Amino acid sequence: GGNGSYTYSLTDSFLKYVLFMSNLLFTVLGLVVLGVGMWGLINKESFAQEKIGSLGTDPMLVFVMLGLVLTVLCLSGCVGALRENCCLLRLFSAAVLVLITAQVLAAILAYSLQGQIGSYLRSGMLAAMVRYQDDLDLRFITDEIQSSLQCCGADNYRDWEINIYYNCSAPGVLACGVPATCCVDPLENGTVWNSQCGVGAQQLDEFSAQSVIFLGGCLGGISRWIEQHSGLIGTTVIIILAVQILTLFITTRLLDSIHCSYLLAQ
């Protein structure tokens, strides 16, 4: 009713717990993302004394921040729903609205730039290869892509000559080689990673090289992966958006039934 003492329908209390549970789920997801970010930072030893300076530009920090935002946001939704707190629920619904808008804009942008995505990927990958030795983060990402997709370079293994250390005219031991993550068997039946396994690989013809390193470039692997999973990616995006819109609807309805404006007006 509208006369101060509010009635709570069965639907509303059901919605309240749906909101609580979905937020709990997203809080867990936020903590997982936070964990992934922390794992990335620790795994490549960003916390080592000499590398602490470059922490500010770390891509893994994006995961940490995303995880934190998700966790805090969804916790406020959780507590707001459970304790019927107007202020928290309002804050939560505003944040969800902002999120939905940002995602829709990002999706439109990605869709309109579909044709150029390939060339962005190529230039990004080549840029990462050029700075492979100088930037820990780029090295980490490049290595992860090469070892998990079993590929080498952007278009093929000879792309590594764009790196000054792997260029055939370079003075060092790495000249004409490729990183160890290009190797078919970097452990070479041992237990210790052989960082020299890609030495001189660029000089080999494709037939001799194929037993030592992966010949295919990573761009093909990335686009194949996206093609194979495009249905899954699209469905996931739609489900996430739908959940957020539903959450917004439920929150608005809850705000209505607890008469937030009424309680504040008193």
Side-chain angles (χ1 to χ4, degrees):
N3 57 355
S5 64
Y6 60 87
T7 51
Y8 221 56
S9 70
L10 201 59
T11 324
D12 287 332
S13 50
F14 171 69
L15 288 179
K16 176 176 140 176
Y17 286 106
V18 168
L19 188 63
F20 173 71
M21 290 312 289
S22 67
N23 269 307
L24 199 58
L25 197 69
F26 277 105
T27 304
V28 172
L29 184 70
L31 290 170
V32 169
V33 173
L34 187 62
V36 167
M38 294 304 281
W39 168 84
L41 289 176
I42 293 162
N43 202 32
K44 55 173 208 304
E45 299 156 359
S46 291
F47 291 136
Q49 257 353 87
E50 70 274 13
K51 292 160 192 159
I52 213 96
S54 65
L55 201 59
T57 56
D58 201 309
M60 282 297 162
L61 274 186
V62 175
F63 280 100
V64 174
M65 293 310 293
L66 194 70
L68 273 177
V69 169
L70 206 57
T71 309
V72 170
L73 177 66
C74 296
L75 266 177
S76 76
C78 258
V79 178
L82 207 61
R83 303 198 54 80
E84 290 161 22
N85 183 312
C86 291
C87 184
L88 277 179
L89 282 175
R90 274 229 183 75
L91 182 78
F92 176 71
S93 60
V96 172
L97 192 60
V98 169
L99 269 180
I100 293 173
T101 315
Q103 283 160 353
V104 170
L105 288 174
I108 292 169
L109 190 68
Y111 192 76
S112 60
L113 292 176
Q114 230 171 358
Q116 290 106 297
I117 288 175
S119 58
Y120 288 145
L121 274 177
R122 173 174 280 104
S123 51
M125 181 93 194
L126 291 172
M129 286 163 63
V130 167
R131 298 186 51 212
Y132 182 78
Q133 265 83 3
D134 316 315
D135 191 315
L136 251 187
D137 302 317
L138 292 177
R139 183 196 299 199
F140 179 72
I141 293 165
T142 308
D143 282 344
E144 287 293 309
I145 291 174
Q146 287 194 150
S147 49
S148 53
L149 290 177
Q150 302 195 334
C151 55
C152 187
D155 294 304
N156 64 51
Y157 65 103
R158 292 216 166 93
D159 288 343
W160 277 103
E161 69 179 16
I162 66 165
N163 180 293
I164 55 165
Y165 300 98
Y166 289 115
N167 191 296
C168 288
S169 57
V173 66
L174 297 175
C176 243
V178 293
T181 43
C182 280
C183 297
V184 175
D185 181 21
L187 294 174
E188 293 183 348
N189 308 323
T191 45
V192 182
W193 187 272
N194 176 12
S195 59
Q196 304 294 313
C197 64
V199 167
Q202 286 181 55
Q203 285 166 320
L204 303 173
D205 57 273
E206 295 204 353
F207 183 74
S208 327
Q210 65 184 355
S211 57
V212 185
I213 56 169
F214 302 117
L215 299 184
C218 295
L219 291 176
I222 293 171
S223 44
R224 268 196 303 280
W225 188 90
I226 292 173
E227 271 166 33
Q228 283 165 1
H229 298 87
S230 60
L232 184 67
I233 294 168
T235 314
T236 310
V237 169
I238 291 168
I239 290 174
I240 290 174
L241 262 181
V243 167
Q244 289 171 339
I245 292 168
L246 188 68
T247 306
L248 192 62
F249 167 76
I250 294 175
T251 313
T252 315
R253 164 127 194 199
L254 268 180
L255 280 167
D256 251 9
S257 53
I258 14 184
H259 299 299
C260 274
S261 49
Y262 182 86
L263 293 174
L264 287 174
Q266 268 192 332

